[in-house]
Amino acid sequence: MKPGRVLFALAIGAFGIGTTEFTPMGLLPVIAEGVNASIPSAGMLITAYAIGVMVGAPIMTLLFSRFGKRAALMMLMGIFTVGNLLSALAPDYYTLLASRLITSLNHGAFFGLGAVVAASVVPKDKQASAVATMFMGLTIANIGGVPAATWLGQQVGWRMAFAGTAVLGVLAIATLWYALPKGERGQVPHVRRELAVIARPSVLLAMATTVLGAGAMFTLYTYVAPVLAELTGASDAFITLGLVLIGVGFTLGNSLGGKLADWSLDGAARIFLAALALIMLLMPLVLGSHVGAAIALLVWGVFTFAVVPPLQMRVMIAAIEAPGLASSINVGAFNLGNAVGAALGGAVISLNLGYAAVPMAGGLLAAGGLLLVWLGGRGKASDKALDKATG
């Protein structure tokens, strides 16, 4: 396998998944109107997708692990393609909700198995950067795919945005077929043994950190369109520009996160979560102007996605005997965080606390994630001391 070709193919799949995951944020008001739902109800489409990823990640990973990596990844992108087509054809809110659930089933297993493949084609000291390269497709989707789908949805209709995203699924299938060798047939996983690894306190604590880090992101990102409209007086064009700036920030942050995670996983997680908490708590002070909002969105995007590579690798290292399942479940943990964040942001709005309180609520979740990293570090220090005393 050629590492560059493999990572590019994985990034193409990540690009498609990122486009379908994040597009509803920019089209939330349009979709809500199209299916006769309120903004908080439309936000549940994002929550439902996140829950589907969380539930589907371990199940789909265990089901598809018996196939070769190339076949498994291609079949997962097939589910992605069908789900987006169903979303484009959905006649009402509940059908669209079900279609989003179907689409979400591929997400966790694709990134989980993909992360294992990415890490396997590079030297050990470059594994975090390799995983970050795969996730680069997800971040670039926020520069090109999401703004393009948002513009298409605003101009032609949100259904065409989902239809266009389905085409990306077909492209990803073709790229994976070309880049990955057929390889050996997978093995039926030892479910009980792998679940025992996942149940370790260190693994669960690392996953809980992922939940809070992702929750911080999605508290704001889910409602970024109405937040900008309310606090900044943003037009549709500025909201699209804001999404592009967030995507640029995601891409820069993903690269930065991968490089710093190769240096220190816990150190990188602490730095980025602390910065994210501070930025989100201060955001309401600058969202009143277009210039302030543009700068804030870019900087927020950098630190929001910089946490992804260290959080993903922390779980894979903690559960080294079951990296595929752990990686997939951690992607599910990211999406549990998405659901928590979307629900928290919706609650803030529903309780009439004001749109300025939305990013502040996310900042508190980031601070909670920082606390868990600190607790995890203390646990490692205690384990080392015990090993030394008993060794």
Side-chain angles (χ1 to χ4, degrees):
M1 287 190 291
K2 295 183 178 180
R5 184 180 295 176
V6 172
L7 294 177
F8 178 76
L10 293 171
I12 291 292
F15 179 87
I17 293 174
T19 299
T20 199
E21 180 179 14
F22 298 130
T23 290
M25 284 69 162
L27 290 176
L28 205 61
V30 178
I31 294 174
E33 182 179 357
V35 294
N36 297 317
S38 66
I39 292 291
S41 294
M44 289 301 297
L45 293 170
I46 297 162
T47 302
Y49 183 96
I51 292 173
V53 175
M54 178 186 65
V55 174
I59 296 173
M60 301 301 283
T61 300
L62 292 173
L63 284 176
F64 283 86
S65 292
R66 66 192 64 210
F67 301 102
K69 292 291 192 299
R70 183 176 74 163
L73 291 169
M74 289 173 62
M75 286 188 286
L76 288 166
M77 289 309 299
I79 295 172
F80 165 92
T81 304
V82 171
N84 277 287
L85 287 175
L86 291 174
S87 296
L89 298 172
D92 53 41
Y93 172 78
Y94 292 104
T95 308
L96 179 59
L97 190 69
S99 299
R100 292 293 289 169
L101 279 170
I102 292 171
T103 307
S104 71
L105 293 177
N106 84 97
H107 187 128
F110 182 89
F111 279 114
L113 295 175
V116 174
V117 172
S120 70
V121 298
V122 297
K124 188 174 182 179
D125 62 342
K126 299 295 183 183
Q127 288 181 339
S129 293
V131 172
T133 299
M134 178 187 69
F135 277 103
M136 189 71 73
L138 190 68
T139 64
I140 293 176
N142 289 276
I143 300 175
V146 174
T150 300
W151 179 86
L152 184 65
Q154 290 170 346
Q155 302 301 317
V156 184
W158 59 268
R159 296 180 187 279
M160 289 303 298
F162 285 118
T165 306
V167 176
L168 294 176
V170 176
L171 176 62
I173 292 170
T175 308
L176 290 165
W177 178 85
Y178 173 73
L180 274 67
K182 185 176 181 181
E184 298 178 358
R185 186 176 179 85
Q187 297 179 347
V188 177
H190 193 296
V191 177
R192 182 174 297 177
R193 183 170 57 203
E194 295 202 5
L195 290 178
V197 173
I198 301 303
R200 291 174 183 168
S202 60
V203 178
L204 294 177
L205 187 63
M207 289 183 176
T209 307
T210 296
V211 171
L212 294 183
M217 171 185 177
F218 272 78
T219 300
L220 173 60
Y221 201 21
T222 302
Y223 301 98
V224 67
V227 165
L228 290 175
E230 182 72 20
L231 299 182
T232 314
S235 63
D236 286 346
F238 185 84
I239 290 172
T240 301
L241 173 62
L243 293 173
V244 173
L245 291 173
I246 290 172
V248 172
F250 283 175
T251 303
L252 295 174
N254 183 67
S255 178
L256 177 63
K259 291 177 180 177
L260 205 58
D262 282 332
W263 161 71
S264 170
L265 292 178
D266 284 357
R270 290 191 191 101
I271 291 170
F272 296 136
L273 285 169
L276 182 60
L278 181 62
I279 290 165
M280 296 193 76
L281 289 170
L282 296 178
M283 269 186 112
L285 300 178
V286 297
L287 289 179
S289 71
H290 284 68
V291 173
I295 294 173
L297 292 175
L298 176 62
V299 175
W300 175 77
V302 169
F303 288 102
T304 290
F305 226 89
V307 304
V308 173
L311 294 185
Q312 185 74 4
M313 285 302 300
R314 286 176 83 244
V315 171
M316 290 174 66
I317 295 300
I320 194 65
E321 297 92 342
L325 183 60
S327 181
S328 299
I329 292 178
N330 196 52
V331 173
F334 273 110
N335 283 270
L336 174 57
N338 299 355
V340 169
L344 178 60
V348 168
I349 296 169
S350 298
L351 291 173
N352 296 318
L353 298 179
Y355 282 93
V358 171
M360 296 179 69
L364 295 177
L365 289 183
L370 178 61
L371 176 62
L372 292 186
V373 174
W374 178 75
L375 290 174
R378 289 197 62 183
K380 290 178 183 178
S382 299
D383 290 343
K384 289 180 180 178
L386 180 62
D387 291 341
K388 186 176 181 180
T390 58

